[in-house]
């Protein structure tokens, strides 16, 4: 079983590493696609949303298949990533 406190801390740490302290200039300034696995993922979805919110040019997309999106929905992930990378 996953310790939810660790997952929450890891999500916060990732958001901090990507965006820096609140109020600081963002560390990531490129267009960014943030993928979420939805409610069945062990990663707290509010943490994923916060990460996307803190990256200025981020786009959040949820593919509701759980944490292993690439394994559970390879066609969907391919289409989403291809669309994101196509100018």
């Amino acid at each position: 079983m996953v310790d939810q406190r660790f997952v929450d801390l890891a999500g916060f740490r990732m958001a901090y590493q990507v965006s820096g302290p609140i109020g600081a200039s963002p560390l990531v300034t490129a267009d960014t696609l943030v993928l979420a696995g939805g409610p069945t993922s062990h990663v707290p979805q509010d943490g994923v949303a916060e990460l996307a919110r803190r990256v200025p040019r981020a786009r959040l997309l949820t593919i509701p298949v759980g944490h292993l999106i690439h394994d559970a929905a390879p066609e969907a992930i391919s289409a989403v990533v291809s669309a994101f990378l196509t100018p």
Side-chain angles (χ1 to χ4, degrees), residues 32-77:
T32 304
L33 178 61
V34 178
L35 296 173
T40 60
S41 174
H42 70 276
V43 177
Q45 298 303 287
D46 56 341
V48 177
E50 175 65 11
L51 172 66
R53 188 189 69 73
R54 292 182 68 180
V55 175
R57 293 166 50 191
R59 183 172 138 208
L60 173 63
L61 181 69
T62 299
I63 301 175
V65 295
H67 180 67
L68 298 176
I69 302 168
H70 63 284
D71 189 48
E75 297 85 11
I77 201 124

Side-chain angles (χ1 to χ4, degrees), residues 5-17:
R5 293 169 300 170
F6 174 76
V7 172
D8 291 343
L9 177 61
F12 174 77
R13 185 178 301 126
M14 181 171 50
Y16 182 84
Q17 289 172 343

Side-chain angles (χ1 to χ4, degrees), residues 1 58 72:
M1 174 172 246

